[in-house]
Amino acid sequence: MLELKYVTKVYNSGSIQFKALKGISLKVDRGEFVAVMGPSGSGKSTLMNILGCLDVPTSGEYFFEGIEVSNFTDNQLAEIRNKKIGFIFQKFNLLPQMNTYENVELPLLYRRMDTAERNQRVRKALEQVGLIDWKEHKPTELSGGQQQRVAIARALAGDPHLILADEPTGNLDSKTGTEVLKIMKDLNKNGRTIVLITHDLNVAKSAKRIISIKDGLIVEERRN
Amino acid sequence: MSFAKAVKMAYKEIVGNKMRTFLTMLGIIIGVSAVIIMVSIVQGTTSRITERLESMGTNLLSVRIMGRGADSFLEYDEVLSLSDKYGILGVAPVASGNATVKYGTNTMDITVEGVDENYQSVRNHTVQSGRFIAPLDVKYRHKVILLGSEVVKELFTIQNPIGETVKLNGSNYTVIGVLEEKGSSIGGSNDEKVLIPISTAQRFLKTEGIRSLFIQAESAEMVDVAYAELEKFLLNRFKNDEDAFRIFNQSEMLSTVNEVTNNMALMLGGIAAISLIVGGIGIMNIMLVSVTERTREIGIRKAIGAKRKDILIQFLIESATISGFGGIIGVIIGLAGNKMLNMFAGINTKSTVSVLVIAFSFSLIVGVFFGIYPANKASKLKPVDALRFE
C-alpha cells in the first residue's frame, strides 16, 4: 500500500544543510498496524510528513497505493490527504471556533460532498467514537480525551485508506491514552491501515510491527 | 465547499472578533457614507438650480436689443410676427424699468415689467388669485397691475389686494391679480416685481418699441431651430450687425450648470472615494494580521485536504464580507446623514439609486481587491510549516 524507496529529506536553512532523512526504504501493506519509533530529532516527524503527503521527499520515490506521488502538485497532494488519509495529531488540531460536528464535517466539505451524505457520515463517525451527544460542543468545552476522539472521528469521516497518528497519546493522561489506543486497535481490526508515530515504547507496543529510526535511518525492525 | 457554507464560515470568523471587525469596517463605512452624502449634496443642488431655471419657463430663449438710438428696438407687431416662425411656440415682449409702488402709507421699490398676455405661458407664471393681463388691457392701455407675492406681503397686511388701487410713481393702478411665489433666480427676485400691460408700460417708462423679449421653443429639441430662426431674423433686421442684439439660451445655461455640477459631484465623490481606498488598506492590514494569527488553522485545513483555492476563497470571502457589511452600513448611514442634513441644516440632498449601488459595489470591489494579497499569502502557506506554527 505504501512504499518508500531511498527517500531522503534535506532542509536548507540559509547556508546550513540539515539531512533529516538519509535514505529510508519502507513498505507498509494494507491492513497493517505499524509504529514508527524514535527519539526526538530522529527524523520521525519528517517521515510522517512525507508519508502523510504533507511534504515531498528531496530524493527517492514514494508510492502511495502504487502511484508515485513525490512529484505531485500541491493540489494533487491535497486531494490525496483529503480522500485517502486520516490524520490524528498530538495536539488534536481541532478548529477552536467550530463545534464538534463542524470539525468532523470539514474534510467532507472540502470534498464537496452533498449535505445528506455528509450528515450521515459525520453522525456515523461520531457514534463510532461515542461523542454523538457532544456534537454541539466547542473543543474548549471538551476534555483532552474527548478532543482526541473528535479528531479521530474527523479522520474516520472521510473513510480513509490510511490513518496516520502522530503521538496521539502525547497530550493525554495514561488512562485516556489507553482508551485512544484501544480505538485505534479496533479500527485496525476492522481492516484499516494505521501508521503510528511515537517515542514511547509502551505506545508502540500496540502496533503489530515496530520500526525504530535514529538520525534519519532505520535501525531496527521487529514484529510483536 | 459551497459558497453559502463559505460565507457562513466567514461570518462566524468575523462575529468572533467583533471589535476588530467593527474598527476595520469603520473605514469602509465612513468611505461609503461620505461618497453618498457628498454626491447627494451636489445632486440636490443641481436639481434645485435646474428647478429654478425651469420655473422661469422651459425651452426659453431671451433676446436683448443692445445699443441706443432710433434703430435699436423692435416694433411690437414685428415681435408678435416672430411666433409664426418655425419652431417658435410663443413670444413675450417685455418692457422693464424701476418704480416705487405705494399703498396707503406703505411704499416699496420694485421692478416694473410691461408684458402682454403671452408672458404668462412663456415665462411659466401662474396667478395665485385674480386674473392675468388680457389683450384688451394691452390694446386700451388699461392701468391695471399684477403684484408679486413679496410686494403683496409688504404693502397689504390682511386685506385682499384685488380691486384695490395702488400708486405706481404717483399714478393710480387697479390690482387685478397676485402672482404665485417663485423664489429668486439668477435674474433677481421674481416676487418683488409688478406686471402691467406693455402698452401702458411703454408710456409709463417713456420707452419706445421693444428692447427685450422672451421666446419659447416648441420643445427641447426645437430650441436650436428656434435659435437659428431668431438669429436669422435679427441679423436681417439689424443689417448683419451681430453686436446689435444678444440671445440667451436657457437650455445652454442648464447644460452648463449640469456640466459644472457633474464635475463637482465627480470631484467630491472622488475625494470621498479616497477614504474608501484607505479603508481598503485597513482591511488588507487586518487580514494580513489575521493570516499570521491563523497560520495554524490554515495548516490544519490544508492537512485535511483544503486546496489553495479553498483557502484563497475563504479569506477573500472574509474580506469581502467585512467590506460588504461595511458598505451596507455605510449606505444606511449615508441615507440617514442625507435626511439629517435636510432636516437640520436645510441642505437639499438627492440620492439616486445609482449612487447607492455604485458606492456599495465599489466598497465590495475594494474588499476583494485588498483581500487578494493576504488571501494569496494564506493559500501559499506550506501545510508542514503552518502546522508547526504555535
Side-chain angles (χ1 to χ4, degrees):
Chain A
M1 166 155 188
L2 305 177
E3 189 174 7
L4 295 178
K5 281 185 180 167
Y6 310 109
V7 164
T8 67
K9 183 72 189 177
V10 179
Y11 290 110
N12 287 310
S13 55
S15 56
I16 305 156
Q17 279 199 341
F18 175 69
K19 287 189 174 179
L21 297 179
K22 294 172 180 165
I24 297 236
S25 295
L26 172 68
K27 225 174 152 177
V28 178
D29 290 326
R30 192 173 292 273
E32 270 198 284
F33 190 165
V34 180
V36 175
M37 242 192 79
S40 60
S42 60
K44 61 183 193 302
S45 286
T46 309
L47 182 62
M48 134 106 184
N49 287 340
I50 288 173
L51 285 174
C53 295
L54 290 163
D55 207 349
V56 287
T58 309
S59 71
E61 290 169 309
Y62 177 27
F63 293 91
F64 191 98
E65 297 188 326
I67 301 162
E68 154 71 323
V69 297
S70 51
N71 292 319
F72 268 27
T73 63
D74 287 353
N75 277 348
Q76 286 171 315
L77 291 175
E79 197 151 338
I80 291 182
R81 290 198 297 271
N82 186 238
K83 292 188 175 160
K84 310 230 161 129
I85 304 174
F87 289 95
I88 300 166
F89 300 97
Q90 178 179 3
K91 286 174 186 158
F92 321 138
N93 279 347
L94 300 172
L95 295 186
Q97 72 272 31
M98 295 183 169
N99 65 28
T100 300
Y101 184 93
E102 289 163 331
N103 263 298
V104 176
E105 186 188 26
L106 196 58
L108 305 182
L109 284 173
Y110 286 127
R111 210 187 276 196
R112 289 164 181 80
M113 192 177 275
D114 64 70
T115 316
E117 193 182 353
R118 223 161 54 210
N119 187 24
Q120 187 208 330
R121 285 220 195 179
V122 173
R123 289 183 156 276
K124 201 180 135 204
L126 282 175
E127 274 161 12
Q128 224 170 326
V129 297
L131 283 177
I132 191 73
D133 295 334
W134 300 80
K135 64 184 166 74
E136 303 291 344
H137 289 71
K138 294 262 168 81
T140 46
E141 298 159 357
L142 301 174
S143 71
Q146 286 172 322
Q147 288 188 52
Q148 194 58 299
R149 273 146 66 198
V150 175
I152 293 173
R154 180 176 67 186
L156 288 177
D159 197 14
H161 299 179
L162 170 69
I163 289 181
L164 259 184
D166 184 10
E167 303 272 14
T169 58
N171 274 14
L172 302 175
D173 59 63
S174 60
K175 187 170 158 274
T176 44
T178 317
E179 271 173 38
V180 165
L181 285 174
K182 189 178 173 300
I183 295 177
M184 294 182 59
K185 274 190 220 167
D186 289 344
L187 289 173
N188 179 244
K189 255 179 225 156
N190 293 333
R192 274 186 221 274
T193 316
I194 297 180
V195 175
L196 173 73
I197 283 157
T198 183
H199 66 275
D200 187 342
L201 184 62
N202 292 325
V203 173
K205 275 177 181 161
S206 306
K208 292 174 188 161
R209 177 152 74 111
I210 300 174
I211 295 167
S212 301
I213 70 169
K214 201 180 172 189
D215 295 331
L217 286 169
I218 295 179
V219 290
E220 194 193 346
E221 201 179 328
R222 64 187 158 93
R223 290 185 180 273
N224 274 347
Chain B
M1 189 172 314
S2 73
F3 188 72
K5 267 274 181 197
V7 171
K8 203 180 142 200
M9 224 185 243
Y11 176 77
K12 262 193 173 171
E13 192 56 50
I14 288 164
V15 169
N17 230 328
K18 283 194 193 73
M19 191 61 184
R20 178 197 280 188
T21 307
F22 172 71
L23 289 174
T24 313
M25 266 185 198
L26 208 53
I28 297 292
I29 295 173
I30 291 171
V32 168
S33 49
V35 167
I36 289 173
I37 291 173
M38 293 284 186
V39 175
S40 299
I41 288 174
V42 177
Q43 280 180 336
T45 312
T46 311
S47 73
R48 181 162 277 192
I49 293 173
T50 312
E51 237 167 61
R52 280 283 159 77
L53 282 173
E54 278 177 349
S55 75
M56 290 165 32
T58 47
N59 309 325
L60 206 62
L61 295 170
S62 76
V63 180
R64 202 158 289 255
I65 311 296
M66 315 302 283
R68 302 207 162 267
D71 205 27
S72 58
F73 57 81
L74 299 169
E75 295 298 337
Y76 184 61
D77 292 338
E78 212 174 5
V79 169
L80 289 188
S81 73
L82 272 172
S83 60
D84 299 333
K85 301 265 184 208
Y86 184 60
I88 293 175
L89 183 67
V91 182
V94 176
S96 63
N98 295 315
T100 307
V101 64
K102 184 174 180 188
Y103 177 76
T105 53
N106 298 336
T107 61
M108 188 179 183
D109 291 320
I110 38 80
T111 310
V112 180
E113 285 191 350
V115 300
D116 66 6
E117 69 281 2
N118 295 317
Y119 187 86
Q120 186 176 14
S121 62
V122 172
R123 291 298 311 274
N124 196 20
H125 264 295
T126 41
V127 177
Q128 186 184 326
S129 58
R131 66 168 176 91
F132 203 77
I133 287 160
L136 273 182
D137 296 324
V138 179
K139 193 173 178 190
Y140 295 111
R141 296 201 182 95
H142 282 157
K143 288 190 149 187
V144 292
I145 191 165
L146 278 126
L147 305 178
S149 57
E150 281 297 318
V151 182
V152 173
K153 264 183 221 159
E154 190 82 12
L155 297 186
F156 296 89
T157 41
I158 40 169
Q159 65 270 57
N160 182 3
I162 293 168
E164 297 293 321
T165 303
V166 296
K167 279 186 157 50
L168 199 59
N169 282 5
S171 49
N172 287 330
Y173 283 77
T174 310
V175 179
I176 54 169
V178 176
L179 294 170
E180 193 80 53
E181 192 173 325
K182 293 194 88 165
S184 53
S185 70
I186 296 165
S189 171
N190 276 312
D191 301 320
E192 288 180 14
K193 70 178 181 187
V194 299
L195 301 180
I196 57 177
I198 188 161
S199 50
T200 318
Q202 279 172 331
R203 189 164 285 184
F204 174 77
L205 297 166
K206 299 182 180 69
T207 55
E208 254 184 302
I210 310 293
R211 297 172 58 85
S212 164
L213 57 140
F214 293 95
I215 285 162
Q216 189 177 28
E218 277 169 6
S219 64
E221 294 76 40
M222 293 303 272
V223 170
D224 289 339
V225 177
Y227 188 98
E229 284 286 329
L230 193 60
E231 195 171 34
K232 201 170 81 187
F233 168 82
L234 289 169
L235 278 174
N236 193 29
R237 172 70 173 70
F238 292 107
K239 305 181 181 74
N240 286 334
D241 180 5
E242 283 179 9
D243 296 331
F245 59 89
R246 197 157 291 169
I247 308 175
F248 296 95
N249 187 339
Q250 183 213 41
S251 60
E252 214 165 69
M253 203 151 113
L254 261 179
S255 65
T256 310
V257 167
N258 276 333
E259 205 176 303
V260 170
T261 51
N262 274 344
N263 283 341
M264 214 150 92
L266 269 179
M267 194 181 78
L268 286 175
I271 290 171
I274 289 173
S275 68
L276 249 181
I277 290 173
V278 173
I281 294 171
I283 289 185
M284 175 150 80
N285 203 355
I286 223 64
M287 291 305 290
L288 280 174
V289 171
S290 168
V291 167
T292 309
E293 276 181 354
R294 287 155 68 191
T295 302
R296 193 173 179 81
E297 176 195 326
I298 295 163
I300 296 169
R301 286 176 184 271
K302 284 203 151 185
I304 61 172
K307 293 181 180 163
R308 270 193 67 173
K309 199 179 73 187
D310 293 316
I311 303 292
L312 189 83
I313 288 175
Q314 182 195 342
F315 278 87
L316 275 186
I317 286 179
E318 259 175 50
S319 64
T321 309
I322 291 177
S323 66
F325 262 121
I328 290 171
I329 297 173
V331 166
I332 294 167
I333 290 182
L335 289 175
N338 279 350
K339 269 259 154 62
M340 301 241 280
L341 278 176
N342 222 336
M343 273 165 57
F344 299 120
I347 295 171
N348 213 25
T349 55
K350 190 180 161 199
S351 50
T352 53
V353 176
S354 62
V355 170
L356 304 183
V357 171
I358 288 170
F360 175 69
S361 17
F362 192 57
S363 74
L364 259 189
I365 291 168
V366 161
V368 172
F369 180 79
F370 286 103
I372 287 174
Y373 176 68
N376 194 40
K377 198 179 162 192
S379 76
K380 272 191 187 157
L381 286 172
K382 291 223 166 295
V384 191
D385 300 335
L387 274 176
R388 211 181 289 138
F389 187 85
E390 294 295 324

